[in-house]
Amino acid sequence: MTQSPRSALVTASTAGIGRAVAELLHRRGMSVTVHGRSADSAAEAARSIGDTVSFVYGDMGDPEQVQTLADRIGAAGFDIFVHCAGPYAEHTYDTATPADWESAYRTNVVSAVQLATAALAPMRERGFGRVILIGTRATRTPIPTMIEYSAAKAALASATISLARSAVAPGVTLNMVSPGVILTPAMQQMFLARADAAGHDLESGASSSRSQGRSWAEIEASITTDYAPNPQQRLGRSEDVAAVVAFLTGDDAGYVNGADIPVDGGMTGTH
C-alpha cells in the first residue's frame, strides 16, 4: 500500500526563507501549502512552485484573519507546520512607540503561538507532527535598530520551550530555527537602501564614506566584516535555513524537541 505524502504548511512562503522551505519540501515529495498576506501573492507562489501546491492567505497583523487561518489549520490537520512569518520594522528605543511594541508582539508572538497551537491539536491525536518556528539571531544579540522585533522574537523563543514541554505528545516535536543575517530580497533591499544613503554606516547610521558608490559584492563583504561577522565570512542564504528546517521535519529528528538551532555561520558565538 502506497503511503500518502506528508502534508506541510509554510507561512510567509511567497519569498525569502519561507519560499525556500516550501520549494525544498515540495522537491522532497511533500504535499505543500504556501501562505501569503494576500490571495494573489499566495496563489502566484503556489503556481510557480508546482501544480500540486495549494495556498492559504492571511495577514498576521489582523486578528480576525489569523483566527480564520488557525481554524483552517486545525481542520486540515497538517503533518508539518513551519511558521516563517515574522514582520519587522526598523526602530530604536528612541523611535519605537507603544503601538510599535504591541504590533511586534502581536505579529511575532501571539499569531505564532495561536497558529502553532491550532496545528498541534490534530498532530497529538495522530501521534505524529512537526512544528518549526523561525526565530532570529536577534534573540541572542538584539539589534539596536530593530529593538521591539528583537524583544518579541526573544519572547517567541521562550514560548517555544514552553510549548515543546507542555503542548506536544510522543511523535510530535516543536523546535525553533534561528537564522543569522540571511540574504533574502527584503534584507538585500534594506542594505542597499542604507548604502545609498550617502555617508552612513550600515548598522548604526553613523557617518562613513565607505558606503558610498560601492558594488553589491563590496557591500556584502563589509556587512560580513562590520555587521554580521562570522567564521564562514559570508551572509547566509535562504537555502541554508531551509536545509535545517527540512531535517527537523523528518523521522531522523524525532528526538529533537524544544531546541533553538542557530543558522548563522557561528555569528552568535563570535559577535
Side-chain angles (χ1 to χ4, degrees):
M1 182 176 178
T2 303
Q3 187 176 13
S4 299
R6 285 177 175 163
S7 59
L9 169 62
V10 184
T11 66
S13 46
T14 60
I17 291 171
R19 177 63 173 263
V21 171
E23 290 176 345
L24 180 55
L25 298 185
H26 176 66
R27 290 198 301 271
R28 294 192 176 185
M30 296 186 192
S31 175
V32 173
T33 299
V34 299
H35 159 267
R37 281 187 293 178
S38 70
D40 289 345
S41 64
E44 175 57 32
R47 282 193 296 268
S48 62
I49 293 173
D51 293 339
T52 61
V53 177
S54 56
F55 71 92
V56 294
Y57 64 94
D59 186 340
M60 296 301 151
D62 185 326
E64 290 186 3
Q65 292 188 39
V66 173
Q67 183 58 57
T68 298
L69 183 56
D71 292 341
R72 294 189 66 175
I73 290 171
F78 292 100
D79 297 309
I80 294 153
F81 173 65
V82 185
H83 187 61
C84 300
Y88 62 87
E90 291 197 81
H91 296 117
T92 65
Y93 271 119
D94 294 328
T95 61
T97 66
D100 294 328
W101 283 91
E102 290 173 359
S103 176
Y105 194 82
R106 182 176 63 254
T107 56
N108 284 283
V109 184
V110 176
S111 61
V113 172
Q114 188 174 354
L115 298 182
T117 300
L120 282 166
M123 291 178 182
R124 289 196 300 268
E125 293 180 6
R126 192 169 51 242
F128 176 85
R130 301 286 187 264
V131 173
I132 299 105
L133 307 177
I134 300 300
T136 172
R137 65 94 174 175
T139 61
R140 297 176 175 86
T141 55
I143 304 170
T145 54
M146 295 182 182
I147 199 66
E148 75 275 23
Y149 169 79
S150 300
K153 284 296 193 179
L156 183 59
S158 177
T160 297
I161 297 172
S162 297
L163 289 169
R165 289 178 176 175
S166 62
V168 302
V172 180
T173 65
L174 187 148
N175 295 285
M176 175 173 278
V177 173
S178 290
V181 182
I182 305 299
L183 190 60
T184 63
M187 287 298 290
Q188 186 173 28
Q189 283 300 116
M190 183 185 77
F191 285 123
L192 286 171
R194 290 183 179 186
D196 287 342
H200 286 79
D201 176 78
L202 285 168
E203 180 168 21
S204 67
S207 178
S208 171
S209 61
R210 292 181 301 164
S211 62
Q212 300 183 43
R214 295 179 296 169
S215 68
W216 170 251
E218 292 172 317
I219 293 170
E220 182 172 358
S222 70
I223 294 168
T224 57
T225 299
D226 302 326
Y227 181 81
N230 67 84
Q232 299 307 310
Q233 298 181 12
R234 67 175 178 89
L235 298 182
R237 299 304 192 260
S238 295
E239 292 75 15
D240 295 320
V241 183
V244 177
V245 171
F247 166 72
L248 290 172
T249 68
D251 293 334
D252 289 343
Y255 204 57
V256 182
N257 183 52
D260 182 358
I261 303 174
V263 183
D264 61 9
M267 180 180 180
T268 50
T270 59
H271 190 56

